[in-house]
Amino acid sequence: MTMAGKHLLTLADMARGDLEALLNRAQHFSEGADSRGRLSGIAVCTLFFEPSTRTRLSFQRAAQRLGADVLNFDAATSSTTKGETDVDTLRNIEAMGVRGFVIRHREDCAVARLSDVVQPATKLINAGDGRSQHPTQGLLDMLTIRQAKGDDFSKLKIAIVGDIKHSRVARSDLCALRALGATDVRVCAPESLLPDAETLRGCTVEANVDKAVAGTDVVMTLRLQRERMQEGLVSSLEDYHRDYGITLDRMKLARPDAVVMHPGPMNRGIEISDEVADGPQSLILRQVANGVAVRMAVLETALAG
Ligand code: CP
């Protein structure tokens, strides 16, 4: 696999074969494949400059299951509060013998920038940077779709609904869906929350959510970042829920066996109703479970051997 021993910064340039190899390995881990000692003696630090629940804890769980020593950097109690830069922070922890860094950052492309300052043996994994990419979320979403719908993505109709413009999850998902051969991907958002043409390459933009969801196999909804209302990009949360919320009535327009996904954290009653989030079509907790398996595959590929 060409990804072996490399940083994971983005899905934008990942070959289909590499993507499928990571998904296959993650599938084995999700079925309980032996992982003991794969990263024995290797130290991994979760270096998060932005809050997280799912990504940080599932990387910690993944690293523990592979036998790594896990260090957790807490920005709020760190010397970054005294003005230490992210580069100095990273290099100081690297000097302690840490080989793997799982990094979340507020700034676009921050993990690629940080990859320029580390030693060749040190590997960085992007755990979400700015609006750029969230590659392990993209991988776990693809694994979840594959488990539910099989591995021929060219047969699937997929709707992605919500704030795509500011979503690193949507960017990684769209890269992965293209690489895996998906051809019917509909994106639906208020015009103010649609991204640039390159992000939308190969997708159909559908303004009406009912039309976007009609006949789909998979509905992926995204968190509405509430600050978008203050910025005037969304008129009100009530309007947003009415026009773009995924509700039971809307899900009746999709295929009867359609599934619903959300990367979390959810705004219940805004982009998704309680009945859908907790209903039989929801794969939201399956996504979380798959996050551990995918992150095991990524850590192993980057750091083992
Ligand atoms: N999906 C996701 O990245 O969630 P967290 O922000 O909780 O890590």
Side-chain angles (χ1 to χ4, degrees):
M1 198 197 319
T2 57
M3 289 301 299
K6 295 202 173 141
H7 305 300
L8 175 59
L9 305 177
T10 175
L11 295 186
D13 53 6
M14 192 178 286
R16 181 175 187 156
D18 282 335
L19 220 152
E20 288 179 334
L22 282 171
L23 296 181
N24 292 344
R25 189 64 178 143
Q27 180 64 36
H28 285 134
F29 283 133
S30 79
E31 292 166 3
D34 187 12
S35 55
R36 283 168 299 176
R38 294 292 296 140
L39 294 186
S40 179
I42 294 178
V44 174
C45 177
T46 53
L47 187 64
F48 278 47
F49 297 99
E50 210 188 43
S52 164
T53 297
R54 281 149 289 272
T55 312
R56 184 202 284 272
L57 289 174
S58 60
F59 263 115
Q60 288 176 356
R61 180 94 179 99
Q64 286 163 355
R65 283 186 58 188
L66 293 163
D69 302 326
V70 185
L71 290 80
N72 178 30
F73 165 85
D74 176 14
T77 57
S78 76
S79 291
T80 56
T81 59
K82 302 176 212 163
E84 190 165 35
T85 66
D86 53 7
V87 170
D88 283 335
T89 301
L90 174 58
R91 293 176 84 176
N92 276 266
I93 301 172
E94 186 184 36
M96 299 171 199
V98 173
R99 281 253 336 268
F101 287 88
V102 177
I103 303 179
R104 173 165 289 190
H105 208 291
R106 291 183 194 284
E107 178 192 305
D108 289 354
C109 303
V111 187
R113 171 175 60 77
L114 292 169
S115 71
D116 288 338
V117 305
V118 294
Q119 300 296 319
T122 301
K123 302 302 167 209
L124 307 189
I125 296 166
N126 183 354
D129 56 350
R131 302 173 187 184
S132 306
Q133 282 277 322
H134 194 345
T136 57
Q137 181 73 43
L139 289 166
L140 75 87
D141 287 345
M142 297 308 112
L143 182 64
T144 306
I145 293 173
R146 213 170 73 155
Q147 287 171 348
K149 297 289 167 193
D151 56 11
D152 186 353
F153 281 70
S154 71
K155 289 188 179 150
L156 298 179
K157 300 183 193 315
I158 300 168
I160 303 181
V161 181
D163 181 1
I164 296 154
K165 181 174 184 166
H166 303 96
S167 175
R168 56 198 176 206
V169 174
R171 280 189 181 75
S172 288
D173 280 341
L174 288 167
C175 290
L177 287 168
R178 272 194 293 270
L180 292 172
T183 54
D184 188 345
V185 180
R186 308 141 184 209
V187 299
C188 180
E191 200 157 337
S192 56
L193 299 181
L194 283 172
D196 57 283
E198 173 52 27
T199 300
L200 292 173
R201 185 163 50 87
C203 303
T204 308
V205 177
E206 176 53 69
N208 181 289
V209 72
D210 292 343
K211 288 187 186 161
V213 166
T216 49
D217 303 281
V218 180
V219 178
M220 304 172 84
T221 178
L222 299 167
R223 182 170 72 92
L224 178 69
Q225 299 175 26
R226 287 165 185 257
E227 60 272 28
R228 305 304 164 216
M229 221 177 76
Q230 275 107 50
E231 291 169 22
L233 300 180
V234 175
S235 52
S236 76
L237 297 180
E238 292 75 23
D239 288 354
Y240 186 85
H241 181 65
R242 184 194 62 224
D243 295 338
Y244 299 98
I246 301 302
T247 59
L248 275 184
D249 280 344
R250 288 219 158 101
M251 283 310 297
K252 288 183 187 143
L253 302 169
R255 285 175 55 94
D257 60 351
V259 295
V260 179
M261 298 168 62
H262 189 302
M266 287 184 278
N267 293 305
R268 288 170 176 268
I270 300 175
E271 69 264 7
I272 189 166
S273 70
D274 285 334
E275 293 79 8
V276 175
D278 302 324
Q281 291 169 292
S282 171
L283 296 183
I284 294 168
L285 293 179
R286 166 54 48 191
Q287 289 173 266
V288 177
N290 281 337
V292 177
V294 156
R295 287 161 180 143
M296 288 172 76
V298 166
L299 287 168
E300 178 190 56
T301 303
L303 293 168

